[in-house]
Amino acid sequence: MSRVLVTGGASGLGAALVAQFVAAGHQVLSTDLAAESPAQTGAQYRQLNVRDAGDWQQAVAWCEENWGGLDILVNNAGIATGGRIDVESLDEWDRVVDINLMGVVRGCRAFVPLFKRQSSGHLVNTASAAGLVHPPMMSSYNTVKAGVVALSETLSHELHPYGVTVSVICPSFFKTNLGDSIQGDDTEMASTARRLIEKSPRTADEIAANVIAGIRKQQFLIIPDRPALLAWRTKRFARPLYDRQMRKIAARARSRAESATKR
């Protein structure tokens, strides 16, 4: 039985991971922004803002005091964002960097000293297929998720001598409430992203099951759905085809943007 902390555990992939960890018999601490605990049978709950280093230190203290340590940290909290480089504001860039990238950095920094003392632990960082393949009109999201992949790979080597393992999760679109977090000035991009999320045939529960299977095997790169895997393989092994696909997406986006301007 493992001791597991999940950030962003109140909804979406985080809630699905919490439920499946609990069902497998693990001790689970679900964390999120809300002060009140959501209805999550079998899990404990704690408020944690991933932008607040003090919250992270209190979470470490809670795990040591109540569990004597931690086995798996799932840095899952995040928001959706995106937009054309000349439309999306710098404030939105700051927001997504602080939550999606620095939120993971803060979590790793907080718990790595504990993992080193234990000579064990597993960091699991939620990135995205956008961290591996980089569609147009998503520069801020692509950038932070690629950063999470790079951070995870770096730590997988850095922490290996201490007995600490690392995984990074890279799913494509799946049904979740992530679209609700989209803000910013590029409303055309936001509408497209929401449609992709809402129309996906994949559920958070399906993604979570594949993620937990990858964690169990201590895989570094966990690509939990076929579309994400195909996109990544196309980029690696058929780069001209990948480039053509990305440029078609960009051309369609330009056409939609110009049509919207004319209305």
Side-chain angles (χ1 to χ4, degrees):
M1 180 174 66
S2 295
R3 301 159 294 182
V4 186
L5 188 156
V6 181
T7 69
S11 62
L13 179 59
L17 288 168
V18 167
Q20 293 191 28
F21 274 123
V22 168
H26 302 295
Q27 292 180 290
V28 182
L29 177 62
S30 173
T31 71
D32 215 299
L33 285 171
E36 295 293 324
S37 171
Q40 290 179 297
T41 304
Q44 299 189 67
Y45 180 81
R46 183 178 180 86
Q47 185 179 29
L48 191 158
N49 181 350
V50 299
R51 307 174 83 172
D52 188 328
D55 279 8
W56 277 111
Q57 290 305 321
Q58 291 174 23
V60 174
W62 188 97
C63 290
E64 290 188 297
E65 291 168 8
N66 291 275
W67 288 346
L70 187 73
D71 299 304
I72 302 172
L73 169 64
V74 184
N75 284 307
N76 172 75
I79 60 171
T81 187
R84 291 159 289 181
I85 190 64
D86 55 336
V87 179
E88 187 177 13
S89 71
L90 291 177
D91 286 343
E92 186 65 5
W93 271 87
D94 289 342
R95 176 173 173 258
V96 73
V97 169
D98 199 30
I99 296 172
N100 286 21
L101 178 56
M102 293 307 299
V104 176
V105 171
R106 293 184 192 99
C108 293
R109 280 181 54 84
F111 274 93
V112 159
L114 170 61
F115 284 175
K116 285 182 174 180
R117 290 195 300 271
Q118 295 176 164
S119 297
S120 67
H122 193 158
L123 292 170
V124 181
N125 298 327
T126 298
S128 165
L132 303 175
V133 299
H134 306 128
M137 287 76 66
M138 292 178 58
S139 54
S140 62
Y141 194 74
N142 293 346
T143 298
V144 294
K145 292 303 187 179
V148 172
V149 174
L151 171 68
S152 301
E153 182 179 342
T154 301
L155 296 184
S156 73
H157 304 310
E158 179 179 327
L159 300 177
H160 184 265
Y162 298 93
V164 178
T165 52
V166 181
S167 296
V168 61
I169 308 166
C170 295
S172 63
F173 292 105
F174 59 94
K175 281 190 176 69
T176 179
N177 63 342
L178 189 63
D180 296 340
S181 66
I182 300 175
Q183 299 178 13
D185 298 329
D186 198 338
T187 55
E188 179 67 28
M189 174 60 207
S191 297
T192 299
R194 289 191 187 96
R195 284 197 300 271
L196 289 169
I197 293 168
E198 292 166 1
K199 292 182 178 180
S200 173
R202 293 168 295 282
T203 67
D205 287 337
E206 292 167 347
I207 298 295
N210 291 333
V211 166
I212 289 178
I215 293 172
R216 191 179 302 117
K217 297 173 185 175
Q218 296 193 337
Q219 292 176 347
F220 167 70
L221 181 59
I222 301 175
I223 303 179
D225 60 273
R226 183 172 174 79
L229 183 60
L230 288 175
W232 179 62
R233 286 177 173 172
T234 300
K235 181 177 180 179
R236 292 187 68 197
F237 302 117
R239 185 58 187 253
L241 173 60
Y242 167 81
D243 287 340
R244 286 198 299 271
Q245 291 173 334
M246 293 298 110
R247 287 165 188 169
K248 285 179 181 178
I249 293 171
R252 288 197 296 269
R254 176 183 176 180
S255 178
R256 287 196 301 270
E258 290 177 347
S259 297
T261 302
K262 293 174 182 177
R263 294 191 202 115

